[in-house]
Short mmCIF file of all heavy atoms in Angstrom, two decimals:
data_model
loop_
_atom_site.label_atom_id
_atom_site.label_comp_id
_atom_site.label_asym_id
_atom_site.label_seq_id
_atom_site.Cartn_x
_atom_site.Cartn_y
_atom_site.Cartn_z
N ALA S 217 0.80 -48.01 164.07
CA ALA S 217 1.23 -46.84 164.81
C ALA S 217 2.53 -46.28 164.23
O ALA S 217 2.68 -45.08 164.14
CB ALA S 217 1.41 -47.17 166.29
N TRP S 218 3.45 -47.14 163.81
CA TRP S 218 4.72 -46.66 163.27
C TRP S 218 4.51 -45.88 161.98
O TRP S 218 5.19 -44.92 161.71
CB TRP S 218 5.67 -47.81 163.02
CG TRP S 218 6.24 -48.40 164.28
CD1 TRP S 218 6.46 -47.75 165.45
CD2 TRP S 218 6.62 -49.74 164.48
NE1 TRP S 218 6.97 -48.60 166.38
CE2 TRP S 218 7.08 -49.85 165.81
CE3 TRP S 218 6.62 -50.88 163.69
CZ2 TRP S 218 7.55 -51.03 166.35
CZ3 TRP S 218 7.09 -52.06 164.24
CH2 TRP S 218 7.55 -52.13 165.55
N ARG S 219 3.55 -46.31 161.15
CA ARG S 219 3.29 -45.63 159.89
C ARG S 219 2.71 -44.23 160.17
O ARG S 219 3.05 -43.26 159.51
CB ARG S 219 2.33 -46.45 159.03
CG ARG S 219 2.22 -45.91 157.60
CD ARG S 219 1.28 -46.75 156.74
NE ARG S 219 -0.07 -46.22 156.83
CZ ARG S 219 -1.07 -46.72 157.56
NH1 ARG S 219 -0.90 -47.80 158.27
NH2 ARG S 219 -2.26 -46.15 157.57
N LEU S 220 1.82 -44.15 161.15
CA LEU S 220 1.18 -42.87 161.47
C LEU S 220 2.11 -41.92 162.21
O LEU S 220 2.02 -40.71 162.06
CB LEU S 220 -0.09 -43.12 162.30
CG LEU S 220 -1.19 -43.89 161.58
CD1 LEU S 220 -2.31 -44.22 162.56
CD2 LEU S 220 -1.73 -43.09 160.41
N PHE S 221 2.96 -42.47 163.06
CA PHE S 221 3.87 -41.66 163.88
C PHE S 221 5.27 -42.24 163.78
O PHE S 221 5.68 -43.03 164.63
CB PHE S 221 3.41 -41.64 165.35
CG PHE S 221 2.01 -41.14 165.52
CD1 PHE S 221 0.97 -42.04 165.68
CD2 PHE S 221 1.73 -39.80 165.48
CE1 PHE S 221 -0.34 -41.60 165.82
CE2 PHE S 221 0.43 -39.35 165.62
CZ PHE S 221 -0.61 -40.25 165.79
N PRO S 222 6.03 -41.88 162.74
CA PRO S 222 7.36 -42.45 162.55
C PRO S 222 8.25 -42.22 163.78
O PRO S 222 8.29 -41.11 164.32
CB PRO S 222 7.91 -41.69 161.34
CG PRO S 222 6.72 -41.11 160.67
CD PRO S 222 5.69 -40.90 161.74
N PRO S 223 8.95 -43.25 164.24
CA PRO S 223 9.80 -43.11 165.43
C PRO S 223 11.04 -42.27 165.16
O PRO S 223 11.56 -42.24 164.04
CB PRO S 223 10.17 -44.55 165.75
CG PRO S 223 10.07 -45.27 164.45
CD PRO S 223 8.96 -44.59 163.70
N LEU S 224 11.52 -41.60 166.21
CA LEU S 224 12.75 -40.81 166.11
C LEU S 224 13.97 -41.65 166.48
O LEU S 224 15.09 -41.26 166.24
CB LEU S 224 12.66 -39.59 167.04
CG LEU S 224 11.53 -38.62 166.70
CD1 LEU S 224 11.48 -37.49 167.73
CD2 LEU S 224 11.71 -38.04 165.31
N ALA S 225 13.73 -42.79 167.10
CA ALA S 225 14.81 -43.69 167.51
C ALA S 225 14.28 -45.12 167.43
O ALA S 225 13.10 -45.33 167.14
CB ALA S 225 15.26 -43.35 168.94
N ALA S 226 15.15 -46.08 167.71
CA ALA S 226 14.74 -47.49 167.69
C ALA S 226 13.60 -47.70 168.69
O ALA S 226 13.64 -47.23 169.82
CB ALA S 226 15.92 -48.37 168.04
N VAL S 227 12.55 -48.40 168.25
CA VAL S 227 11.38 -48.63 169.08
C VAL S 227 11.31 -50.11 169.45
O VAL S 227 11.43 -50.98 168.59
CB VAL S 227 10.08 -48.23 168.32
CG1 VAL S 227 8.86 -48.59 169.13
CG2 VAL S 227 10.11 -46.76 167.97
N GLN S 228 11.14 -50.37 170.74
CA GLN S 228 11.03 -51.75 171.21
C GLN S 228 9.61 -52.26 171.05
O GLN S 228 9.38 -53.39 170.68
CB GLN S 228 11.45 -51.84 172.68
CG GLN S 228 12.86 -51.37 172.93
CD GLN S 228 13.89 -52.16 172.16
OE1 GLN S 228 13.82 -53.37 172.10
NE2 GLN S 228 14.84 -51.47 171.55
N ARG S 229 8.63 -51.42 171.36
CA ARG S 229 7.22 -51.77 171.27
C ARG S 229 6.42 -50.54 170.91
O ARG S 229 6.85 -49.41 171.15
CB ARG S 229 6.71 -52.31 172.61
CG ARG S 229 7.36 -53.57 173.04
CD ARG S 229 6.75 -54.05 174.35
NE ARG S 229 7.40 -55.28 174.72
CZ ARG S 229 7.86 -55.53 175.91
NH1 ARG S 229 7.74 -54.64 176.86
NH2 ARG S 229 8.44 -56.67 176.17
N ALA S 230 5.22 -50.73 170.36
CA ALA S 230 4.35 -49.61 170.04
C ALA S 230 2.91 -50.06 170.19
O ALA S 230 2.61 -51.24 170.16
CB ALA S 230 4.60 -49.13 168.62
N ILE S 231 2.03 -49.09 170.39
CA ILE S 231 0.61 -49.38 170.52
C ILE S 231 -0.17 -48.29 169.79
O ILE S 231 0.26 -47.13 169.78
CB ILE S 231 0.17 -49.48 172.00
CG1 ILE S 231 -1.26 -49.96 172.09
CG2 ILE S 231 0.35 -48.14 172.69
CD1 ILE S 231 -1.71 -50.31 173.49
N ARG S 232 -1.25 -48.66 169.20
CA ARG S 232 -2.13 -47.68 168.57
C ARG S 232 -3.51 -47.83 169.18
O ARG S 232 -4.06 -48.93 169.23
CB ARG S 232 -2.21 -47.92 167.06
CG ARG S 232 -3.16 -46.95 166.38
CD ARG S 232 -3.11 -47.11 164.87
NE ARG S 232 -3.99 -46.16 164.23
CZ ARG S 232 -5.14 -46.49 163.64
NH1 ARG S 232 -5.53 -47.74 163.60
NH2 ARG S 232 -5.89 -45.56 163.10
N HIS S 233 -4.05 -46.75 169.64
CA HIS S 233 -5.38 -46.75 170.25
C HIS S 233 -6.27 -45.85 169.41
O HIS S 233 -6.03 -44.66 169.30
CB HIS S 233 -5.31 -46.25 171.69
CG HIS S 233 -6.59 -46.42 172.44
ND1 HIS S 233 -7.71 -45.67 172.18
CD2 HIS S 233 -6.92 -47.27 173.43
CE1 HIS S 233 -8.68 -46.03 172.98
NE2 HIS S 233 -8.23 -47.00 173.75
N THR S 234 -7.31 -46.42 168.80
CA THR S 234 -8.16 -45.64 167.90
C THR S 234 -8.94 -44.54 168.62
O THR S 234 -9.39 -43.60 167.99
CB THR S 234 -9.14 -46.56 167.15
OG1 THR S 234 -9.92 -47.26 168.11
CG2 THR S 234 -8.40 -47.55 166.28
N GLY S 235 -9.09 -44.65 169.93
CA GLY S 235 -9.82 -43.63 170.68
C GLY S 235 -8.92 -42.53 171.21
O GLY S 235 -9.39 -41.60 171.86
N ALA S 236 -7.63 -42.61 170.94
CA ALA S 236 -6.69 -41.61 171.45
C ALA S 236 -6.82 -40.31 170.66
O ALA S 236 -7.35 -40.29 169.55
CB ALA S 236 -5.26 -42.14 171.35
N ALA S 237 -6.33 -39.23 171.24
CA ALA S 237 -6.41 -37.93 170.59
C ALA S 237 -5.03 -37.30 170.51
O ALA S 237 -4.13 -37.67 171.25
CB ALA S 237 -7.35 -37.01 171.37
N ARG S 238 -4.89 -36.34 169.62
CA ARG S 238 -3.64 -35.59 169.51
C ARG S 238 -3.85 -34.22 170.14
O ARG S 238 -4.96 -33.72 170.20
CB ARG S 238 -3.25 -35.46 168.05
CG ARG S 238 -2.95 -36.83 167.44
CD ARG S 238 -2.45 -36.71 166.07
NE ARG S 238 -1.03 -36.36 166.14
CZ ARG S 238 -0.27 -36.19 165.08
NH1 ARG S 238 -0.78 -36.32 163.88
NH2 ARG S 238 1.00 -35.89 165.19
N VAL S 239 -2.77 -33.61 170.53
CA VAL S 239 -2.81 -32.31 171.18
C VAL S 239 -2.13 -31.28 170.28
O VAL S 239 -1.08 -31.55 169.71
CB VAL S 239 -2.10 -32.36 172.54
CG1 VAL S 239 -2.00 -30.98 173.16
CG2 VAL S 239 -2.80 -33.32 173.47
N ASP S 240 -2.74 -30.12 170.15
CA ASP S 240 -2.11 -29.00 169.44
C ASP S 240 -1.05 -28.42 170.37
O ASP S 240 -1.37 -27.71 171.33
CB ASP S 240 -3.18 -27.96 169.08
CG ASP S 240 -2.59 -26.70 168.45
OD1 ASP S 240 -1.36 -26.58 168.33
OD2 ASP S 240 -3.40 -25.82 168.09
N GLY S 241 0.20 -28.74 170.11
CA GLY S 241 1.29 -28.32 170.98
C GLY S 241 1.40 -26.81 171.14
O GLY S 241 1.62 -26.31 172.24
N ARG S 242 1.25 -26.08 170.05
CA ARG S 242 1.33 -24.61 170.14
C ARG S 242 0.20 -24.06 170.99
O ARG S 242 0.40 -23.17 171.81
CB ARG S 242 1.29 -23.99 168.75
CG ARG S 242 2.59 -24.11 168.02
CD ARG S 242 2.60 -23.24 166.77
NE ARG S 242 3.82 -23.48 166.03
CZ ARG S 242 3.87 -23.84 164.78
NH1 ARG S 242 2.74 -24.00 164.09
NH2 ARG S 242 5.01 -24.05 164.17
N GLY S 243 -1.01 -24.58 170.76
CA GLY S 243 -2.16 -24.11 171.55
C GLY S 243 -2.00 -24.41 173.03
O GLY S 243 -2.29 -23.57 173.88
N LEU S 244 -1.50 -25.61 173.33
CA LEU S 244 -1.28 -25.98 174.73
C LEU S 244 -0.22 -25.08 175.36
O LEU S 244 -0.39 -24.58 176.47
CB LEU S 244 -0.86 -27.45 174.82
CG LEU S 244 -0.52 -27.95 176.21
CD1 LEU S 244 -1.71 -27.81 177.16
CD2 LEU S 244 -0.04 -29.39 176.15
N ALA S 245 0.89 -24.86 174.63
CA ALA S 245 1.96 -24.00 175.16
C ALA S 245 1.46 -22.58 175.42
O ALA S 245 1.76 -21.98 176.44
CB ALA S 245 3.14 -23.99 174.20
N GLN S 246 0.67 -22.05 174.50
CA GLN S 246 0.14 -20.69 174.68
C GLN S 246 -0.81 -20.62 175.86
O GLN S 246 -0.79 -19.66 176.64
CB GLN S 246 -0.55 -20.22 173.40
CG GLN S 246 0.44 -19.93 172.28
CD GLN S 246 -0.25 -19.67 170.95
OE1 GLN S 246 -1.42 -19.99 170.76
NE2 GLN S 246 0.50 -19.13 170.00
N ALA S 247 -1.65 -21.64 176.02
CA ALA S 247 -2.58 -21.66 177.15
C ALA S 247 -1.83 -21.76 178.47
O ALA S 247 -2.15 -21.05 179.43
CB ALA S 247 -3.55 -22.83 177.00
N LEU S 248 -0.80 -22.62 178.53
CA LEU S 248 -0.01 -22.75 179.76
C LEU S 248 0.71 -21.45 180.09
O LEU S 248 0.76 -21.03 181.25
CB LEU S 248 0.99 -23.89 179.62
CG LEU S 248 0.41 -25.29 179.65
CD1 LEU S 248 1.49 -26.32 179.29
CD2 LEU S 248 -0.20 -25.60 181.00
N GLN S 249 1.26 -20.79 179.07
CA GLN S 249 1.95 -19.53 179.31
C GLN S 249 0.97 -18.47 179.80
O GLN S 249 1.26 -17.74 180.75
CB GLN S 249 2.65 -19.04 178.05
CG GLN S 249 3.39 -17.72 178.28
CD GLN S 249 4.17 -17.26 177.06
OE1 GLN S 249 4.56 -18.06 176.23
NE2 GLN S 249 4.39 -15.97 176.97
N SER S 250 -0.18 -18.38 179.20
CA SER S 250 -1.18 -17.39 179.58
C SER S 250 -1.61 -17.56 181.04
O SER S 250 -1.63 -16.60 181.81
CB SER S 250 -2.39 -17.49 178.65
OG SER S 250 -3.40 -16.61 179.06
N VAL S 251 -1.95 -18.78 181.40
CA VAL S 251 -2.40 -19.04 182.77
C VAL S 251 -1.26 -18.83 183.76
O VAL S 251 -1.45 -18.30 184.85
CB VAL S 251 -3.01 -20.45 182.85
CG1 VAL S 251 -2.23 -21.43 183.69
CG2 VAL S 251 -4.42 -20.41 183.33
N SER S 252 -0.04 -19.21 183.36
CA SER S 252 1.11 -19.05 184.25
C SER S 252 1.42 -17.58 184.47
O SER S 252 1.76 -17.17 185.58
CB SER S 252 2.33 -19.76 183.66
OG SER S 252 2.09 -21.15 183.57
N GLN S 253 1.28 -16.75 183.44
CA GLN S 253 1.53 -15.31 183.60
C GLN S 253 0.50 -14.69 184.53
O GLN S 253 0.83 -13.80 185.31
CB GLN S 253 1.53 -14.61 182.24
CG GLN S 253 2.79 -14.90 181.46
CD GLN S 253 2.78 -14.30 180.08
OE1 GLN S 253 1.86 -14.54 179.32
NE2 GLN S 253 3.80 -13.52 179.77
N ARG S 254 -0.73 -15.16 184.49
CA ARG S 254 -1.74 -14.65 185.43
C ARG S 254 -1.40 -15.04 186.86
O ARG S 254 -1.81 -14.38 187.81
CB ARG S 254 -3.13 -15.16 185.05
CG ARG S 254 -3.69 -14.48 183.82
CD ARG S 254 -5.18 -14.68 183.66
NE ARG S 254 -5.58 -16.05 183.54
CZ ARG S 254 -5.74 -16.72 182.39
NH1 ARG S 254 -5.51 -16.11 181.25
NH2 ARG S 254 -6.12 -17.97 182.39
N GLN S 255 -0.61 -16.10 187.02
CA GLN S 255 -0.20 -16.55 188.35
C GLN S 255 1.15 -15.97 188.78
O GLN S 255 1.68 -16.34 189.81
CB GLN S 255 -0.13 -18.09 188.39
CG GLN S 255 -1.45 -18.78 188.15
CD GLN S 255 -2.44 -18.49 189.26
OE1 GLN S 255 -2.09 -18.47 190.44
NE2 GLN S 255 -3.69 -18.24 188.90
N GLY S 256 1.73 -15.10 187.95
CA GLY S 256 2.96 -14.42 188.33
C GLY S 256 4.20 -14.80 187.53
O GLY S 256 5.28 -14.29 187.81
N LEU S 257 4.08 -15.66 186.54
CA LEU S 257 5.23 -16.02 185.72
C LEU S 257 5.73 -14.80 184.96
O LEU S 257 4.95 -14.03 184.41
CB LEU S 257 4.85 -17.10 184.71
CG LEU S 257 5.91 -17.44 183.66
CD1 LEU S 257 7.03 -18.25 184.29
CD2 LEU S 257 5.29 -18.18 182.49
N ARG S 258 7.03 -14.61 184.94
CA ARG S 258 7.64 -13.56 184.14
C ARG S 258 8.36 -14.23 182.98
O ARG S 258 9.19 -15.09 183.18
CB ARG S 258 8.65 -12.75 184.95
CG ARG S 258 7.98 -11.89 185.99
CD ARG S 258 8.97 -11.01 186.70
NE ARG S 258 10.30 -11.62 186.76
CZ ARG S 258 11.24 -11.24 187.58
NH1 ARG S 258 11.03 -10.27 188.42
NH2 ARG S 258 12.42 -11.83 187.59
N VAL S 259 8.05 -13.82 181.77
CA VAL S 259 8.66 -14.39 180.57
C VAL S 259 9.73 -13.43 180.07
O VAL S 259 9.48 -12.25 179.90
CB VAL S 259 7.61 -14.63 179.46
CG1 VAL S 259 8.29 -15.11 178.19
CG2 VAL S 259 6.58 -15.63 179.93
N ARG S 260 10.93 -13.97 179.86
CA ARG S 260 12.03 -13.19 179.31
C ARG S 260 12.43 -13.84 178.00
O ARG S 260 12.70 -15.02 177.96
CB ARG S 260 13.25 -13.22 180.24
CG ARG S 260 12.97 -12.75 181.64
CD ARG S 260 13.10 -11.26 181.71
NE ARG S 260 13.04 -10.87 183.11
CZ ARG S 260 12.49 -9.76 183.50
NH1 ARG S 260 11.97 -8.94 182.63
NH2 ARG S 260 12.45 -9.45 184.77
N GLN S 261 12.44 -13.07 176.94
CA GLN S 261 12.91 -13.59 175.65
C GLN S 261 14.27 -12.98 175.40
O GLN S 261 14.38 -11.82 175.01
CB GLN S 261 11.92 -13.24 174.54
CG GLN S 261 10.60 -13.96 174.72
CD GLN S 261 9.63 -13.67 173.59
OE1 GLN S 261 9.93 -12.92 172.67
NE2 GLN S 261 8.47 -14.27 173.67
N ALA S 262 15.31 -13.77 175.69
CA ALA S 262 16.67 -13.27 175.58
C ALA S 262 17.63 -14.45 175.48
O ALA S 262 17.25 -15.58 175.76
CB ALA S 262 17.02 -12.43 176.81
N SER S 263 18.84 -14.15 175.10
CA SER S 263 19.88 -15.16 175.07
C SER S 263 20.54 -15.20 176.45
O SER S 263 21.00 -14.17 176.94
CB SER S 263 20.92 -14.85 174.01
OG SER S 263 20.34 -14.93 172.73
N VAL S 264 20.57 -16.36 177.04
CA VAL S 264 21.17 -16.53 178.37
C VAL S 264 22.67 -16.67 178.21
O VAL S 264 23.15 -17.48 177.43
CB VAL S 264 20.58 -17.77 179.06
CG1 VAL S 264 21.31 -18.06 180.36
CG2 VAL S 264 19.10 -17.58 179.31
N GLU S 265 23.42 -15.84 178.96
CA GLU S 265 24.88 -15.92 178.92
C GLU S 265 25.38 -17.12 179.71
O GLU S 265 26.31 -17.80 179.29
CB GLU S 265 25.48 -14.64 179.49
CG GLU S 265 25.16 -13.42 178.65
CD GLU S 265 25.47 -12.12 179.34
OE1 GLU S 265 26.31 -12.10 180.29
OE2 GLU S 265 24.88 -11.10 178.95
N ARG S 266 24.75 -17.34 180.86
CA ARG S 266 25.12 -18.50 181.66
C ARG S 266 24.05 -18.79 182.69
O ARG S 266 23.22 -17.92 183.01
CB ARG S 266 26.47 -18.32 182.33
CG ARG S 266 26.51 -17.30 183.43
CD ARG S 266 27.93 -17.19 184.03
NE ARG S 266 27.95 -16.19 185.06
CZ ARG S 266 27.62 -16.41 186.34
NH1 ARG S 266 27.28 -17.60 186.73
NH2 ARG S 266 27.66 -15.42 187.21
N LEU S 267 24.05 -20.00 183.19
CA LEU S 267 23.15 -20.40 184.27
C LEU S 267 23.84 -20.15 185.59
O LEU S 267 25.05 -20.32 185.71
CB LEU S 267 22.80 -21.89 184.15
CG LEU S 267 22.12 -22.32 182.85
CD1 LEU S 267 21.93 -23.83 182.85
CD2 LEU S 267 20.80 -21.62 182.66
N VAL S 268 23.09 -19.75 186.61
CA VAL S 268 23.61 -19.61 187.96
C VAL S 268 23.31 -20.92 188.68
O VAL S 268 22.14 -21.31 188.80
CB VAL S 268 22.96 -18.42 188.70
CG1 VAL S 268 23.49 -18.32 190.11
CG2 VAL S 268 23.18 -17.13 187.93
N VAL S 269 24.36 -21.62 189.10
CA VAL S 269 24.20 -22.92 189.72
C VAL S 269 24.67 -22.86 191.16
O VAL S 269 25.76 -22.36 191.45
CB VAL S 269 25.00 -24.00 188.95
CG1 VAL S 269 24.86 -25.35 189.62
CG2 VAL S 269 24.56 -24.05 187.50
N GLU S 270 23.85 -23.35 192.08
CA GLU S 270 24.20 -23.47 193.49
C GLU S 270 24.02 -24.93 193.87
O GLU S 270 22.90 -25.44 193.84
CB GLU S 270 23.32 -22.57 194.35
CG GLU S 270 23.54 -21.09 194.07
CD GLU S 270 22.66 -20.19 194.92
OE1 GLU S 270 22.05 -20.68 195.88
OE2 GLU S 270 22.59 -18.99 194.60
N GLY S 271 25.13 -25.60 194.18
CA GLY S 271 25.06 -27.03 194.46
C GLY S 271 24.69 -27.77 193.19
O GLY S 271 25.35 -27.62 192.17
N ASP S 272 23.59 -28.50 193.24
CA ASP S 272 23.13 -29.21 192.05
C ASP S 272 21.86 -28.60 191.46
O ASP S 272 21.13 -29.25 190.72
CB ASP S 272 22.91 -30.70 192.38
CG ASP S 272 21.82 -30.93 193.42
OD1 ASP S 272 21.38 -29.94 194.05
OD2 ASP S 272 21.40 -32.07 193.60
N ARG S 273 21.58 -27.33 191.78
CA ARG S 273 20.36 -26.67 191.29
C ARG S 273 20.69 -25.41 190.51
O ARG S 273 21.60 -24.66 190.85
CB ARG S 273 19.48 -26.26 192.48
CG ARG S 273 18.94 -27.45 193.26
CD ARG S 273 17.81 -27.05 194.18
NE ARG S 273 16.72 -26.50 193.40
CZ ARG S 273 16.01 -25.43 193.76
NH1 ARG S 273 16.28 -24.80 194.88
NH2 ARG S 273 15.04 -24.98 193.00
N VAL S 274 19.90 -25.17 189.46
CA VAL S 274 19.98 -23.90 188.75
C VAL S 274 19.08 -22.93 189.49
O VAL S 274 17.90 -23.19 189.71
CB VAL S 274 19.50 -24.06 187.28
CG1 VAL S 274 19.46 -22.71 186.59
CG2 VAL S 274 20.41 -25.02 186.53
N THR S 275 19.65 -21.81 189.94
CA THR S 275 18.89 -20.86 190.76
C THR S 275 18.66 -19.52 190.05
O THR S 275 18.07 -18.62 190.62
CB THR S 275 19.61 -20.60 192.09
OG1 THR S 275 20.92 -20.09 191.82
CG2 THR S 275 19.71 -21.88 192.91
N GLY S 276 19.14 -19.42 188.81
CA GLY S 276 18.95 -18.19 188.07
C GLY S 276 19.69 -18.23 186.75
O GLY S 276 20.29 -19.23 186.39
N VAL S 277 19.64 -17.09 186.07
CA VAL S 277 20.33 -16.94 184.79
C VAL S 277 20.97 -15.57 184.72
O VAL S 277 20.56 -14.64 185.41
CB VAL S 277 19.36 -17.12 183.58
CG1 VAL S 277 18.82 -18.53 183.53
CG2 VAL S 277 18.23 -16.11 183.63
N VAL S 278 21.99 -15.45 183.88
CA VAL S 278 22.62 -14.16 183.62
C VAL S 278 22.28 -13.77 182.19
O VAL S 278 22.53 -14.52 181.25
CB VAL S 278 24.14 -14.22 183.82
CG1 VAL S 278 24.79 -12.88 183.47
CG2 VAL S 278 24.49 -14.61 185.26
N VAL S 279 21.65 -12.59 182.05
CA VAL S 279 21.25 -12.06 180.74
C VAL S 279 21.71 -10.62 180.67
O VAL S 279 21.39 -9.82 181.56
CB VAL S 279 19.71 -12.14 180.55
CG1 VAL S 279 19.30 -11.49 179.24
CG2 VAL S 279 19.21 -13.56 180.63
N GLY S 280 22.46 -10.27 179.64
CA GLY S 280 22.93 -8.90 179.49
C GLY S 280 23.75 -8.43 180.67
O GLY S 280 23.68 -7.26 181.04
N GLY S 281 24.49 -9.35 181.29
CA GLY S 281 25.31 -9.01 182.45
C GLY S 281 24.54 -8.91 183.75
O GLY S 281 25.12 -8.69 184.80
N GLU S 282 23.24 -9.05 183.70
CA GLU S 282 22.39 -8.94 184.88
C GLU S 282 21.91 -10.32 185.33
O GLU S 282 21.45 -11.11 184.52
CB GLU S 282 21.17 -8.07 184.57
CG GLU S 282 20.29 -7.77 185.76
CD GLU S 282 19.12 -6.86 185.41
OE1 GLU S 282 19.15 -6.22 184.35
OE2 GLU S 282 18.17 -6.82 186.21
N THR S 283 22.03 -10.59 186.63
CA THR S 283 21.61 -11.88 187.18
C THR S 283 20.14 -11.82 187.57
O THR S 283 19.70 -10.88 188.23
CB THR S 283 22.45 -12.26 188.42
OG1 THR S 283 23.82 -12.35 188.03
CG2 THR S 283 22.00 -13.57 189.01
N HIS S 284 19.39 -12.82 187.11
CA HIS S 284 17.98 -12.96 187.45
C HIS S 284 17.83 -14.23 188.27
O HIS S 284 17.97 -15.34 187.75
CB HIS S 284 17.11 -13.05 186.18
CG HIS S 284 17.20 -11.85 185.31
ND1 HIS S 284 16.40 -10.74 185.49
CD2 HIS S 284 18.02 -11.56 184.27
CE1 HIS S 284 16.72 -9.84 184.60
NE2 HIS S 284 17.68 -10.31 183.84
N SER S 285 17.58 -14.06 189.57
CA SER S 285 17.41 -15.21 190.46
C SER S 285 15.97 -15.71 190.38
O SER S 285 15.06 -14.94 190.12
CB SER S 285 17.73 -14.83 191.90
OG SER S 285 19.08 -14.42 191.99
N ALA S 286 15.81 -17.00 190.61
CA ALA S 286 14.45 -17.57 190.54
C ALA S 286 14.40 -18.85 191.36
O ALA S 286 15.40 -19.54 191.52
CB ALA S 286 14.08 -17.86 189.10
N GLY S 287 13.21 -19.15 191.86
CA GLY S 287 12.99 -20.40 192.57
C GLY S 287 12.95 -21.57 191.60
O GLY S 287 13.24 -22.70 191.96
N ALA S 288 12.63 -21.29 190.34
CA ALA S 288 12.61 -22.31 189.30
C ALA S 288 12.99 -21.65 187.99
O ALA S 288 12.66 -20.50 187.74
CB ALA S 288 11.22 -22.92 189.18
N VAL S 289 13.74 -22.37 187.18
CA VAL S 289 14.16 -21.87 185.88
C VAL S 289 13.71 -22.85 184.82
O VAL S 289 13.93 -24.06 184.94
CB VAL S 289 15.70 -21.71 185.80
CG1 VAL S 289 16.13 -21.30 184.41
CG2 VAL S 289 16.17 -20.69 186.83
N VAL S 290 13.01 -22.35 183.80
CA VAL S 290 12.58 -23.19 182.68
C VAL S 290 13.25 -22.67 181.43
O VAL S 290 13.16 -21.49 181.11
CB VAL S 290 11.04 -23.12 182.51
CG1 VAL S 290 10.61 -23.93 181.29
CG2 VAL S 290 10.34 -23.60 183.77
N ILE S 291 13.93 -23.56 180.74
CA ILE S 291 14.58 -23.19 179.49
C ILE S 291 13.75 -23.83 178.39
O ILE S 291 13.57 -25.03 178.34
CB ILE S 291 16.02 -23.69 179.46
CG1 ILE S 291 16.80 -23.09 180.62
CG2 ILE S 291 16.67 -23.35 178.11
CD1 ILE S 291 18.17 -23.65 180.81
N ALA S 292 13.21 -22.98 177.50
CA ALA S 292 12.31 -23.49 176.46
C ALA S 292 12.47 -22.68 175.19
O ALA S 292 12.95 -21.55 175.20
CB ALA S 292 10.86 -23.41 176.96
N ALA S 293 12.02 -23.27 174.10
CA ALA S 293 12.01 -22.57 172.82
C ALA S 293 10.90 -21.53 172.84
O ALA S 293 9.89 -21.68 173.52
CB ALA S 293 11.80 -23.57 171.68
N ALA S 294 11.08 -20.49 172.06
CA ALA S 294 10.08 -19.43 171.98
C ALA S 294 8.84 -19.93 171.25
O ALA S 294 8.91 -20.80 170.40
CB ALA S 294 10.64 -18.23 171.25
N LEU S 295 7.69 -19.38 171.61
CA LEU S 295 6.45 -19.71 170.91
C LEU S 295 6.46 -19.00 169.57
O LEU S 295 6.88 -17.86 169.46
CB LEU S 295 5.23 -19.25 171.72
CG LEU S 295 5.03 -19.94 173.06
CD1 LEU S 295 3.87 -19.27 173.79
CD2 LEU S 295 4.75 -21.41 172.86
N MET S 296 5.96 -19.64 168.56
CA MET S 296 5.91 -19.04 167.23
C MET S 296 4.56 -18.42 167.01
O MET S 296 3.58 -18.82 167.39
CB MET S 296 6.16 -20.09 166.15
CG MET S 296 7.54 -20.68 166.25
SD MET S 296 8.72 -19.39 165.87
CE MET S 296 10.22 -20.23 166.18
#
């Protein structure tokens, strides 16, 4: 398993299962975004100036001086 999937950090244990499968990360991300947008997700591609924090929760972001409030905030890399 280590030869096939080199570790990014020290590994205590590893397992290789010949019946396991790999996932196309880009394809999965695109499918999740597509289905989420049909359910009302709004995607913003912008640089966030700051996070809006209330207590111990992020409740929005500030982009271009404008605050965008949200029940959930996901910070992720853009799809290529």
